[in-house]
Amino acid sequence: MIEIDPSAPALTGGVDLIAPNVWRIVASNPSALTGPGTNTYVIGSEARIVVDPGPDDPAHLETIVALGGGRIEQILCTHSHSDHSPGAAPLQALTGALVRGRPAPNDAYQDLTYAPDRSLDDGERIAVARATLLALHTPGHASNHVCFLLEESGMLFTGDHLMNGSTVVILPPDGSMRLYVESLRHMLTMPIVTLAPGHGAVIDNAPADIERVIAHRLKREIKLVNALSRRGEATLDDVLAEVYDDTPQALHRLAKFSLLAHAIKLEEEGRAA
Ligand SMILES: [Zn+2]
């Protein structure tokens, strides 16, 4: 008998029952960007839904199939980055399940094997017995990003829109800081209780965490505004160290993408040129 443990740490290769009818399997792809690895969720009882099959890793797929108990009907992808969707096609071959998600945008960071059978609209519901997932289109980290709200419990499967323990990188032009913050604000209007992220453990006070992330992004934006107004004109490299003075130097290369996203947001809002 396995007990439900919502606070179980997400350990590489770990399998945990984190809520009634919700299993989390952590793929063995740990890295600076993926934390302990990508979280794959198996949801439902009689019939099952998989959220983010993760990398095309035979051992990981075998665990998903074993937990699915021959009842996986749908494979949902939050977005098409290479740590989230490459498992979709091989998992479909093993289970015959339908692959759903929004089509991949055209940039250099997409999983080229990803081909959803059907797109997902904002507000669409995917239901099996005892589990109804409401699709929320949440552009920002990626333009085709979707989060899924398990309506029975208010658990939100956040993909890469929100992570536990680190700040999500926004890669323009497909990623957009303006839409990222807008998507977060929209989340605050939804009955979300807990966050089940694409990387890391469950976050239990969802509204407080979403507020914290919005505040963190706006604080970063203010630092950029200050750095720009003092200089009048500057390149990203001129202001990077100042705007990210609280971030380890080793992460500045990645931070530069988010800095660009902040600069584009200011330009879109007519606050910088
Ligand atoms: Zn991603």
Side-chain angles (χ1 to χ4, degrees):
M1 174 74 190
I2 291 168
E3 277 179 39
I4 297 170
D5 182 6
S7 62
L11 302 174
T12 308
V15 180
D16 290 284
L17 183 62
I18 56 159
N21 302 318
V22 181
W23 292 86
R24 179 187 62 214
I25 311 164
V26 186
S28 295
N29 61 340
S31 73
L33 277 177
T34 59
T38 305
N39 291 334
T40 294
Y41 295 97
V42 179
I43 302 152
S45 54
E46 286 82 24
R48 292 181 182 167
I49 302 170
V50 171
V51 171
D52 278 350
D56 180 2
D57 166 359
H60 182 64
L61 294 168
E62 203 175 288
T63 310
I64 299 172
V65 170
L67 271 183
R71 290 168 281 185
I72 296 174
E73 290 188 352
Q74 307 238 15
I75 301 164
L76 309 181
C77 295
T78 58
H79 64 303
S80 41
H81 284 161
S82 62
D83 54 330
H84 288 262
S85 58
L91 186 61
Q92 178 173 51
L94 292 168
T95 61
L98 201 65
V99 176
R100 308 283 313 271
R102 293 177 74 85
N106 187 11
D107 80 0
Y109 304 105
Q110 306 303 318
D111 158 26
L112 297 174
T113 69
Y114 169 72
D117 296 306
R118 263 165 58 196
S119 186
L120 273 171
D121 289 327
D122 182 53
E124 198 172 327
R125 284 182 171 83
I126 303 100
V128 293
R130 283 191 270 278
T132 306
L133 290 172
L134 174 67
L136 302 177
H137 182 211
T138 48
H141 171 72
S143 62
N144 68 337
H145 199 287
V146 183
C147 294
F148 298 98
L149 178 61
L150 181 57
E151 295 190 301
E152 284 78 2
S153 65
M155 175 174 266
L156 184 75
F157 299 93
T158 68
D160 276 355
H161 203 84
L162 291 156
M163 290 184 190
N164 193 344
S166 66
T167 305
V168 172
V169 175
I170 311 288
L171 292 169
D174 184 56
S176 158
M177 189 64 74
R178 184 175 57 80
L179 295 178
Y180 181 79
V181 174
E182 256 175 42
S183 294
L184 288 173
R185 290 208 169 105
H186 179 63
M187 277 181 190
L188 286 174
T189 69
M190 307 295 293
I192 299 168
V193 180
T194 56
L195 305 173
H199 306 276
V202 172
I203 297 164
D204 56 15
N205 188 343
D209 197 67
I210 295 166
E211 298 269 21
R212 180 190 63 76
V213 173
I214 294 172
H216 175 82
R217 296 292 185 170
L218 295 184
K219 204 174 130 204
R220 189 74 67 199
E221 180 176 297
I222 289 168
K223 285 173 95 166
L224 173 59
V225 168
N226 289 341
L228 287 177
S229 27
R230 220 170 311 113
R231 287 174 178 81
E233 199 171 287
T235 67
L236 292 180
D237 286 316
D238 293 340
V239 297
L240 181 62
E242 180 180 333
V243 176
Y244 286 86
D245 59 358
D246 55 345
T247 304
Q249 189 91 36
L251 295 175
H252 281 192
R253 194 182 57 83
L254 282 174
K256 195 171 165 183
F257 289 109
S258 292
L259 179 63
L260 173 62
H262 277 294
I264 292 170
K265 177 175 183 285
L266 291 179
E267 189 181 31
E268 286 170 346
E269 294 170 351
R271 298 159 66 196

